[in-house]
């Protein structure tokens, strides 16, 4: 499989427990199997390192240079000129691919010296971290309050290359906020990865598939999502093509999902649907910071409010006031 033709991606659907050491064996086994099968990009779920079905449970946090993540990064150390630990073969590392082992994306819980930990995705290959993303949108919905135990990320969006494809990462609840995927599309992303731990509930599976298809279709990119299985998680890992069609999807059980991503299909979709080139508005990630600075706001920056984005607390108060006046 040359960079010009496509790449093989595998999503690993796990049922992680709370202990990172207990989850590591499954990840290392998955890496070994992917290397043997010629997989180019291997994607594990959100919070692979530490997960609980109970809302509010404090997950086990570690630094990125120790414990779970350090072991995963070390397991990708192949294709080196003088063996593991030696200098990387940069000709291979620039593009990723099966010859040097897969590029591995895994979810972890990262220590934060300034507060609760981060819900973090790490991409690694050839014994090095190539990209990090700290979850921006925390799951404060459907009776869950992720922000009680997790800090929001810094908003840094990194991309990396695998087999000539530009890869970007979002994390689970981020799928409900299309701006972050569009920002990655502006950075040239061909494949959007969405590790997740999607919670069961009424219509939640429909939300999941609809959002995954929408993010792929509106950005004319592939989307590959690896989900947590078991307990109160839906599983349903999937691969969506740039035309919005689900090309492969798992069930609720622990399993793997492997699919070939075609460069020709990606190019064809972008020729037929040139929506990225035709749009008239762009997302401006600096707008909030500039607005805050102009008004002398320091520290955490609230979202700007307009008549189209009302303050929900104010709207609730207004509704109560109107009710009392009608009563």
């Amino acid at each position: 499989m040359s960079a010009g033709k496509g790449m093989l991606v595998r999503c690993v659907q796990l049922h992680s427990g709370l202990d990172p050491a207990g989850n590591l064996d499954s990840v290392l086994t998955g890496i070994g199997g992917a290397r043997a099968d010629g997989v180019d990009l291997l994607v594990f779920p959100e919070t692979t390192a530490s997960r609980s079905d109970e809302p509010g449970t404090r997950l086990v946090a570690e630094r990125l240079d120790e414990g779970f993540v350090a072991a995963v990064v070390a397991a990708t150390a192949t294709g080196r000129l003088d063996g593991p630990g030696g200098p990387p073969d940069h000709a291979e590392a620039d593009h990723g691919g099966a010859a040097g082992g897969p590029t591995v994306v895994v979810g972890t819980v990262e220590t934060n010296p300034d507060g609760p930990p981060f819900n973090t995705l790490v991409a690694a290959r050839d014994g090095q971290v190539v990209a990090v993303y700290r979850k921006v949108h925390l799951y404060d919905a459907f009776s869950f309050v992720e922000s009680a135990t997790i800090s929001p990320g810094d908003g840094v969006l990194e991309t990396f290359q695998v087999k000539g494809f530009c890869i970007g990462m979002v994390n689970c609840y981020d799928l409900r906020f299309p701006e972050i995927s569009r920002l990655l599309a502006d950075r040239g992303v061909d494949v959007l990865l969405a590790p997740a731990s999607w919670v069961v509930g009424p219509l939640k599976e429909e939300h999941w598939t609809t959002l995954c298809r929408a993010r792929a279709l509106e950005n004319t990119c592939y989307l590959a999502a690896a989900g947590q299985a078991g307990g109160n998680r839906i599983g349903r890992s999937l691969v969506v093509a740039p035309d919005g069609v689900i090309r492969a999807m798992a069930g609720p059980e622990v399993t793997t999902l492997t699919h070939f991503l075609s460069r020709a299909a990606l190019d064809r979709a972008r020729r037929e649907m040139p929506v990225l080139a035709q749009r008239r508005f762009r997302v401006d990630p600096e707008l909030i910071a500039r607005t805050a600075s102009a008004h002398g706001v320091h520290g955490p920056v609230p979202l700007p409010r307009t008549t189209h984005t009302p303050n929900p607390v104010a709207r609730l108060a207004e509704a109560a006031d109107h009710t009392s006046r009608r009563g």
Side-chain angles (χ1 to χ4, degrees), residues 140 173 177 302-322:
D140 290 358
Y173 194 51
F177 303 87
L303 288 172
R305 299 291 179 184
T306 72
T307 55
H308 300 291
T309 56
N311 186 323
V313 177
R315 287 296 297 273
L316 287 172
E318 291 169 7
D321 184 52
H322 292 164

Side-chain angles (χ1 to χ4, degrees), residues 58-59 61-62 109-119 134 138 146-153:
R58 294 191 177 276
L59 305 180
E62 299 176 314
V109 184
E110 179 191 3
T111 55
N112 173 13
D114 299 319
F118 298 112
N119 184 338
R134 298 176 178 92
L138 301 184
E146 188 178 14
S147 63
T149 56
I150 295 291
S151 292

Side-chain angles (χ1 to χ4, degrees), residues 133-193:
Y133 170 64
R134 298 176 178 92
K135 187 178 184 181
V136 171
H137 299 104
L138 301 184
Y139 184 51
D140 290 358
F142 296 102
S143 301
F144 279 71
V145 187
E146 188 178 14
S147 63
T149 56
I150 295 291
S151 292
D154 49 19
V156 175
L157 301 177
E158 298 181 336
T159 63
F160 55 98
Q161 296 284 323
V162 179
K163 300 291 283 187
F165 288 80
C166 182
I167 316 295
M169 301 182 289
V170 299
N171 190 332
C172 198
Y173 194 51
D174 284 330
L175 286 166
R176 294 186 183 271
F177 303 87
E179 298 86 357
I180 192 168
S181 298
R182 181 50 57 88
L183 283 170
L184 287 166
D186 282 343
R187 286 157 172 75
V189 161
D190 301 310
V191 182
L192 191 63
L193 304 182

Side-chain angles (χ1 to χ4, degrees), residues 243-269:
D243 59 5
V245 175
I246 296 174
R247 299 297 181 182
M249 186 166 72
E253 71 283 356
V254 172
T255 188
T256 61
L257 183 72
T258 306
H259 192 74
F260 180 71
L261 308 189
S262 165
R263 168 60 67 179
L266 175 64
D267 292 343
R268 181 171 60 253

